[in-house]
Amino acid sequence: MLFSEDVCSLRTFFLHLNYHHLNVIITKIKFEVSIVFITLIGMSGAGKSYWSKKLESQGFKRFGCDDLITVHLAEKLGYVYSDLFDMHQWVGYPDEETHVTRAQQYLNAEEEVLNEILDNLKKVDNQENIVIDSTGSIIYMHDEILQELSQLTRIIYLDITPQDFDRMLRYYLENPVAIIWNNYFLPTPKESRSQTFARCYPQLIISREQKYKALAHLSIPPDLHRASDASVEKFLSFITRT
């Protein structure tokens, strides 16, 4: 078994190597000692996909829930190729007539995907690190699924700041994202569409933040997971040592 002293010695030994390759080697050596199953949670745009792909580049097996949900829905809707199916646009915005029905279909597909991932986790022999890139709506899954996910993985919430709200809303209005509003989109008389979104979106985020933090084993503040010098090694160190 490798201990921290061994890792430090290896770091010194490999100083002549390219810095990028050194980080890859040290990260793999260090975290193969203790296999890590991670679930990243948070709002769309918080950085879940960014970090899950970073971890994948270091040898983690990645489950991208949005990608898997897209495949599930595409198959059920009769698409021959799932990459021709724009799942986010299909779910649409909360003021569209089809949204409620399609949002429920999305949640049903998400439940199927998570059950498949959980079944997969039970079968692995603890020989590989795994990261689950969850959807923003994971908090709306049945308690049984969330409890099992909590038992099998370390759930990490990527926190955001109130200053992110406007940026995230602008992106959402310009690029449809499958967001489950959970009855938080409530237009009022004489209110424009943009005013409704501007009022309701922060309310949705605040309601979700409470659920994310309650579900997570650990929250990572934005100044850490967005730091200019943030690396996979630092990210994993924070998770495994906190």
Side-chain angles (χ1 to χ4, degrees):
M1 179 178 291
L2 293 172
F3 297 93
S4 58
E5 293 82 0
D6 300 305
V7 174
C8 291
S9 298
L10 285 171
R11 186 184 294 276
T12 302
F13 178 76
F14 287 119
L15 277 178
H16 67 284
L17 293 178
N18 175 276
Y19 180 75
H20 171 72
H21 291 161
L22 175 63
N23 268 343
V24 171
I25 292 169
I26 294 298
T27 299
K28 287 185 176 180
I29 291 173
K30 189 171 184 179
F31 293 99
E32 280 175 2
V33 176
S34 178
I35 299 300
V36 183
F37 291 177
I38 298 169
T39 299
L40 300 179
I41 65 172
M43 283 293 295
S44 174
K48 302 187 301 293
S49 294
Y50 172 83
W51 279 110
S52 67
K53 290 175 181 177
K54 283 282 191 181
L55 291 169
E56 184 179 33
S57 72
Q58 300 299 315
F60 275 68
K61 181 175 182 178
R62 175 179 177 269
F63 290 98
C65 289
D66 257 347
D67 297 334
L68 295 171
I69 290 169
T70 297
V71 172
H72 269 251
L73 287 172
E75 289 178 353
K76 289 186 176 181
L77 294 171
Y79 282 81
V80 177
Y81 303 106
S82 61
D83 56 353
L84 298 178
F85 173 55
D86 189 336
M87 180 268 293
H88 295 287
Q89 189 172 38
W90 178 81
V91 172
Y93 292 106
D95 54 351
E96 296 176 357
E97 288 185 10
T98 57
H99 178 77
V100 173
T101 300
R102 292 180 176 182
Q104 186 58 55
Q105 289 176 271
Y106 175 92
L107 288 173
N108 293 342
E110 182 174 6
E111 183 176 324
E112 292 178 20
V113 163
L114 284 171
N115 277 322
E116 289 177 4
I117 292 174
L118 290 170
D119 287 342
N120 192 292
L121 291 179
K122 295 172 194 172
K123 295 174 184 176
V124 298
D125 54 4
N126 290 339
Q127 293 301 309
E128 62 181 339
N129 295 312
I130 291 174
V131 58
I132 300 171
D133 177 2
S134 74
T135 72
S137 54
I138 191 171
I139 48 176
Y140 303 135
M141 294 292 98
H142 293 301
D143 288 342
E144 294 80 4
I145 291 177
L146 297 181
Q147 288 170 6
E148 195 165 12
L149 191 68
S150 180
Q151 292 169 358
L152 294 174
T153 73
R154 187 158 172 76
I155 301 178
I156 309 300
Y157 170 49
L158 300 183
D159 204 353
I160 58 176
T161 69
Q163 289 70 40
D164 292 314
F165 293 6
D166 286 342
R167 172 186 61 80
M168 294 167 73
L169 176 58
R170 284 197 304 273
Y171 181 85
Y172 170 63
L173 292 176
E174 294 171 2
N175 306 273
V177 177
I179 290 181
I180 306 302
W181 281 80
N182 201 35
N183 297 319
Y184 274 93
F185 187 80
L186 299 170
T188 60
K190 299 182 180 180
E191 185 178 56
S192 69
R193 184 175 188 266
S194 60
Q195 288 173 330
T196 301
F197 275 108
R199 176 176 55 82
C200 295
Y201 190 74
Q203 295 175 6
L204 172 67
I205 294 179
I206 292 170
S207 73
R208 284 190 174 194
E209 283 183 319
Q210 298 169 353
K211 295 180 183 296
Y212 291 138
K213 290 177 180 178
L215 177 61
H217 295 113
L218 174 68
S219 295
I220 302 183
D223 61 331
L224 285 180
H225 69 77
R226 292 179 183 167
S228 58
D229 63 344
S231 64
V232 169
E233 184 179 4
K234 289 182 179 179
F235 188 84
L236 287 172
S237 294
F238 186 81
I239 290 173
T240 56
R241 294 175 183 175
T242 304

